[in-house]
Amino acid sequence: MSAEDVLLVGCCLRGETQAIQNLIERFQSHVFGLCFRLLRHRQDAEDVTQEVFLRVFRSLKRWDRTRPLKPWIMGITVNRCRTWLSQRARRPELMDYLQETAASPKVDDAAELADEIQLAVRDLRVEYQSVFVMYHEQGHAYEDIAAALGRPVGTIKTWLYRARLEVLDRLRRRGMISEVADELP
């Protein structure tokens, strides 16, 4: 918890426009980045980012002032993305098909490996995917991820370990890495 967070939230709860704008500006790139990474569509990420901030402002009075604000907001973000993904899974999207058919040819092995890793992460369970992205791509600490997802640190470490195993397994099956890679330090 920080005194700055408490002050900012207090001003937001009083309806101070500048404070509301400051909160959005402070967390917008983090929220959008996580949404974009989990949803893989810019427009979806923009829509969910707006929903996240609506939820944040509706729920600010329930924020526990003894806990950091950022993990609380990131937890709302993960939950909104999870809901969006479950709703999207019920309806096929033309954009998915168009993106697959318009894919550019692979230029080099590094780009191909990076693409394959992204596909492997996309296929992970939502919990594993969230932890993987928050840790490896956004650089969050275990404790922050645990706070954002409302899970113990041990669970976060387990999910991250399992996510890594699934990504490695997919890369092996696709011939992107060999068994020898397991023996390297």
Side-chain angles (χ1 to χ4, degrees), residues 38 40 82 85 120-133 151 155 158-159 162-163 166:
L38 293 176
R40 296 175 300 278
R82 185 179 299 144
L85 286 168
V121 171
R122 180 192 309 183
D123 291 341
L124 293 172
R125 288 178 27 185
V126 175
E127 295 86 2
Y128 294 1
Q129 185 182 70
S130 300
V131 171
F132 191 93
V133 168
R151 301 283 191 212
T155 300
T158 299
W159 286 355
R162 291 177 181 166
E166 287 186 29

Side-chain angles (χ1 to χ4, degrees), residues 8 11-13 15-25 57:
L8 181 62
C11 292
C12 288
L13 289 172
E16 296 179 20
T17 306
Q18 187 61 46
I20 293 169
Q21 185 176 348
N22 288 346
L23 188 139
I24 291 171
E25 288 174 359
F57 289 115

Side-chain angles (χ1 to χ4, degrees), residues 130-143:
S130 300
V131 171
F132 191 93
V133 168
M134 291 175 82
Y135 185 82
H136 286 293
E137 295 182 18
Q138 295 187 329
H140 293 287
Y142 293 124
E143 294 77 14

Side-chain angles (χ1 to χ4, degrees), residues 26-176:
R26 183 171 164 196
F27 296 106
Q28 186 172 19
S29 63
H30 299 289
V31 170
F32 177 77
L34 183 56
C35 288
F36 184 72
R37 185 63 191 94
L38 293 176
L39 301 174
R40 296 175 300 278
H41 293 284
R42 183 172 194 81
Q43 291 171 330
D44 289 351
E46 290 170 353
D47 291 344
V48 173
T49 297
Q50 289 179 5
E51 285 184 29
V52 166
F53 283 106
L54 288 174
R55 296 261 176 168
V56 164
F57 289 115
R58 282 189 210 135
S59 306
L60 268 181
K61 60 184 168 257
R62 293 192 304 266
W63 170 62
D64 179 358
R65 295 172 188 267
T66 64
R67 312 208 89 189
L69 185 58
K70 184 178 179 183
W72 181 73
I73 291 174
M74 299 311 282
I76 292 171
T77 304
V78 169
N79 288 335
R80 292 307 310 146
C81 288
R82 185 179 299 144
T83 300
W84 190 271
L85 286 168
S86 69
Q87 291 170 348
R88 189 169 70 184
R90 293 185 209 129
R91 54 177 161 48
E93 294 206 14
L94 178 59
M95 289 304 294
D96 290 336
Y97 174 74
L98 291 176
Q99 285 179 346
E100 289 173 14
T101 58
S104 61
K106 306 290 185 251
V107 176
D108 62 23
D109 290 343
E112 187 176 359
L113 178 61
D115 289 345
E116 198 62 43
I117 290 170
Q118 295 302 318
L119 290 172
V121 171
R122 180 192 309 183
D123 291 341
L124 293 172
R125 288 178 27 185
V126 175
E127 295 86 2
Y128 294 1
Q129 185 182 70
S130 300
V131 171
F132 191 93
V133 168
M134 291 175 82
Y135 185 82
H136 286 293
E137 295 182 18
Q138 295 187 329
H140 293 287
Y142 293 124
E143 294 77 14
D144 292 340
I145 299 169
L149 299 180
R151 301 283 191 212
V153 171
T155 300
I156 299 306
K157 289 179 178 180
T158 299
W159 286 355
L160 184 58
Y161 175 77
R162 291 177 181 166
R164 289 172 178 156
L165 286 179
E166 287 186 29
V167 169
L168 284 172
D169 184 54
R170 178 183 173 126
L171 294 176
R172 265 190 226 99
R173 285 193 323 261
R174 303 274 298 158
M176 301 300 295

